[in-house]
Amino acid sequence: MAYERPNIAAMHGYVPGKQPQGGDVIKLNTNENPYPPSPAVMAALRAIEPEALRKYPKPAADGLRAAAAQVHGLAPEQVVAVNGGDELLRLAVTTFVPPGAPIGVVEPSYSLYPVLAEIHGSPLIQLPLAPDWSLPDDLAPRMQRAGVKLLLLVNPHAPSGHLTEVAALARIARELSAVLLVDEAYVDFVDPERAHDAVPLIAAHDNVLLLRTFSKGYSLAGLRAGYGLGAASLIDPLLWKTRDSYNLDAIAQRLATVALEHRAEAAETWRKVRAERARLAQALAALGFTLTPSQTNFLLARAAHGTSAKRLVQGLEQRGVLVRYFDAPRLDDSLRITVGTPAENDRLLSALRELL
Ligand SMILES: *Cc1c(COP(=O)(O)O)cnc(C)c1O
């Protein structure tokens, strides 16, 4: 006898990238930051006193919300703290989408989005990206006609690394009478010369919700912390109704706050990742791969015609180098490679030279 709801029984769960235990394995498959968290964060972890664990944490993570508000020039009412960015995605679905109402995404995109729609029992409206991974011009009107209540866009885009300009997002926000969630999981790695900042959208559009995470930019994927930014009217129900009562534990609140206070140290890792991203892209191109210009901490590398990407991924794994492979249209000829340290990237490149 199965007791799940029929949509749960019929669905497949999210498939995370492999997390090997020990061994001499180089992990370039789940987009973690290759550098450690700030020493100040580790010091704060060691300084956690028993009282902080005996008592319940601050229900709405006031300190973390105040720190994030200060970083972005917003008010604390415009910030909701979450137990990883993935929690914000789930909260957006449960808060803004009536059961059965459609959710919009572009194809391809973060593979968690369809899973959340299935859990909720919502049909997914999927529109294909242009060949250069940019958004279709008529995205908003088509989503509008389909009646979506929530449009999920990851920017910079995963898994391509393509960055959509803020002006294009503003137009979509204006044309859409639904919530536009911009998943900025990788925004910390955008080249500063692009001067990309979507936060000003919030003042002009009360339907824009920005997702930020500590997992990638702040080297804290193991901690589980992130936050959402939006108009106070949009944030309010997430903050005071649909969130779990104590969604962020005391350690996550404390460490994430310290991470924001020491943002300059994280920014130094962003600079190093950008430098390695450029070097790795050039080296992969020299090996015959076609690269999408990336504004993230990963590269989507299309294998030369006649070379099987799947075979390369398997060969790399045998040599102790994990990269991500998506058996999906438009992606099954490519490797998604997280930018590692210079030494890790060198090991990837020499393994690829052997295989090619
Ligand atoms: C990593 C990631 C997130 C958030 O991850 P958390 O670890 O839950 O903060 C959200 N969206 C995309 C596209 C990601 O890659």
Side-chain angles (χ1 to χ4, degrees):
M1 176 80 199
Y3 294 98
E4 315 103 292
R5 294 153 57 206
N7 57 318
I8 305 295
M11 69 176 278
H12 297 284
Y14 175 71
V15 183
K18 287 188 184 141
Q19 296 286 28
Q21 298 301 314
D24 184 25
V25 174
I26 292 188
K27 271 192 87 289
L28 303 177
N29 64 333
T30 48
N31 298 343
E32 287 128 341
N33 191 320
Y35 300 103
S38 148
V41 170
M42 299 315 293
L45 178 61
R46 285 188 295 270
I48 299 275
E49 67 282 12
E51 272 301 278
L53 298 184
R54 185 184 65 78
K55 295 182 301 183
Y56 278 104
K58 286 246 165 47
D62 298 340
L64 174 54
R65 285 172 50 235
Q70 182 161 21
V71 164
H72 298 290
L74 298 170
E77 304 78 60
Q78 295 174 293
V79 184
V80 59
V82 288
N83 185 20
D86 287 352
E87 190 196 15
L88 186 69
L89 295 169
R90 191 183 281 259
L91 281 176
V93 169
T94 53
T95 307
F96 302 119
V97 184
I103 294 171
V105 297
V106 291
E107 246 310 280
S109 189
Y110 185 26
S111 53
L112 180 66
Y113 302 157
V115 173
L116 293 173
E118 289 205 62
I119 293 171
H120 198 57
S122 278
L124 200 63
I125 308 296
Q126 308 186 63
L127 294 181
L129 289 170
D132 68 351
W133 307 103
S134 63
L135 298 172
D137 273 342
D138 56 353
L139 177 67
R142 287 172 70 188
M143 289 292 177
Q144 190 70 19
R145 278 198 298 279
V148 306
K149 295 295 171 194
L150 174 67
L151 175 56
L152 299 169
L153 295 181
V154 51
N155 191 50
H157 179 249
S160 74
H162 175 88
L163 180 72
T164 296
E165 300 293 337
V166 175
L169 298 173
R171 206 184 85 194
I172 294 167
R174 195 168 56 240
E175 292 175 351
L176 200 68
S177 59
V179 174
L180 169 61
L181 190 154
V182 184
D183 179 342
E184 300 196 304
Y186 298 102
V187 78
D188 297 319
F189 301 103
V190 172
D191 196 328
E193 284 171 24
R194 298 285 291 257
H196 182 90
D197 183 9
V199 173
L201 290 176
I202 289 170
H205 305 280
D206 67 1
N207 59 339
V208 170
L209 181 59
L210 303 180
L211 178 156
R212 295 294 186 109
T213 174
F214 291 90
S215 296
K216 318 292 173 29
Y218 294 85
S219 312
L220 292 169
L223 188 69
R224 312 306 304 138
Y227 54 90
L229 304 171
S233 56
L234 194 71
I235 295 294
D236 190 85
L238 304 167
L239 192 50
W240 303 117
K241 294 179 184 171
T242 52
R243 182 178 58 73
D244 279 350
S245 335
Y246 301 97
N247 62 330
L248 248 82
D249 64 73
I251 299 172
Q253 290 190 31
R254 181 95 55 98
L255 270 53
T257 305
V258 173
L260 283 181
E261 288 164 357
H262 292 259
R263 203 159 174 264
E265 286 160 49
E268 183 52 23
T269 72
W270 309 340
R271 189 190 62 71
K272 289 194 274 191
V273 166
R274 288 197 306 272
E276 271 302 287
R277 175 175 77 200
R279 182 182 77 95
L280 185 58
Q282 215 166 33
L284 289 167
L287 286 175
F289 290 92
T290 304
L291 281 296
T292 302
S294 171
Q295 290 295 318
T296 62
N297 67 336
F298 56 83
L299 292 165
L300 187 66
R302 195 168 74 234
H305 191 68
T307 305
S308 157
K310 192 170 188 170
R311 193 187 61 78
L312 284 180
V313 172
Q314 288 162 351
L316 285 172
E317 185 166 347
Q318 284 159 5
R319 286 162 178 75
V321 181
L322 298 186
V323 301
R324 194 82 194 260
Y325 177 73
F326 297 104
D327 196 359
R330 288 192 68 180
L331 299 173
D332 57 4
D333 57 356
S334 300
L335 280 54
R336 196 204 61 190
I337 304 168
T338 306
V339 178
T341 61
E344 289 173 333
N345 300 332
D346 283 342
R347 228 182 97 182
L348 164 83
L349 290 167
S350 59
L352 277 175
R353 280 188 202 106
E354 266 176 50
L355 288 163
L356 293 163

